[in-house]
């Protein structure tokens, strides 16, 4: 079975525990379970990693090369700062979809720019945690 890699960056382990007005009430475990079930229904396996450490996300992207079909990533605040994550994604051969729970364009100006968008085939922002499921569907379509 082909595999989708779901990556979540810093602080997203707090989903459902703080700031529900911005990030909703579902936990990261809920999001990962929903994505895994949807991916399975579309014929894909799903691996999930959340990390607060930039290097762990980079190493996971390196380890995905030649092994994983596509990457779904919410890089958290690294979205706006990390050329290193962009470089790692540029070395990955499959499709990449970037997800943001909030609408980053409706928030502070420093959130409006994304390094990862320079690589992503698609970007979903402001759809809440439903954005992750939309991204799984899009990846499955791109990989069909
Ligand atoms: O909207 C998104 O998904 C973000 O990637 C979330 C990041 C933020 O830095 C980006 O600008 C947009 C922050 C993630 C923090 O996650 C929390 C979740 C629950 C409670 C507190 C933080």
């Amino acid at each position: 079975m082909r595999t989708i890699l779901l990556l979540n960056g810093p602080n997203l382990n707090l989903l459902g525990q703080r700031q529900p007005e911005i990030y909703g009430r579902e936990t990261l475990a809920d999001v990962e379970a929903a994505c895994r079930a949807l991916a399975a229904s579309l014929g894909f396996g799903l691996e999930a990693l959340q990390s607060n450490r930039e290097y762990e996300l980079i190493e996971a992207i390196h380890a995905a090369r030649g092994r994983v079909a596509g990457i779904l990533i919410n890089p958290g605040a690294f979205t706006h700062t990390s050329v290193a994550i962009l470089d790692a994604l540029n070395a990955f051969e499959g499709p990449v979809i970037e997800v943001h729970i909030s609408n980053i364009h409706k928030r502070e100006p420093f959130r409006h720019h994304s390094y990862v968008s320079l690589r992503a085939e698609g970007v979903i922002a402001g759809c809440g945690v439903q954005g992750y499921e939309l991204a799984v569907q899009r990846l499955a379509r791109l990989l069909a």
Side-chain angles (χ1 to χ4, degrees):
M1 189 187 279
R2 289 184 299 166
T3 302
I4 289 171
L5 177 62
L6 167 59
L7 293 175
N8 277 288
N11 298 309
L12 286 157
N13 54 308
L14 298 177
L15 265 187
Q17 299 174 39
R18 299 271 191 283
Q19 296 180 269
E21 67 286 359
I22 301 177
Y23 298 113
R25 296 193 180 278
E26 287 182 76
T27 66
L28 184 59
D30 294 333
V31 169
E32 290 176 353
C35 287
R36 186 167 286 112
L38 178 59
S41 76
L42 297 169
F44 290 86
L46 186 126
E47 287 178 15
L49 171 77
Q50 184 278 329
S51 180
N52 296 320
R53 298 179 173 90
E54 189 175 19
Y55 85 90
E56 284 186 355
L57 296 165
I58 292 167
E59 301 233 321
I61 296 165
H62 290 177
R65 295 176 64 223
R67 192 181 62 80
V68 158
I71 294 178
L72 190 178
I73 183 167
N74 182 347
F78 292 148
T79 306
H80 319 296
T81 62
S82 183
V83 176
I85 289 177
L86 170 63
D87 287 345
L89 289 169
N90 278 333
F92 174 73
E93 59 284 350
V96 173
I97 302 290
E98 175 183 353
V99 172
H100 298 287
I101 299 166
S102 63
N103 181 354
I104 55 176
H105 302 290
K106 208 176 169 185
R107 300 183 66 187
E108 304 95 321
F110 65 83
R111 295 187 202 274
H112 296 179
H113 177 262
S114 166
Y115 284 102
V116 171
S117 293
L118 294 168
R119 166 64 178 84
E121 269 67 32
V123 182
I124 298 168
C127 296
V129 295
Q130 187 190 358
Y132 288 91
E133 292 180 66
L134 298 173
V136 169
Q137 286 180 334
R138 182 63 187 158
L139 273 178
R141 176 76 61 90
L142 290 172
L143 293 165

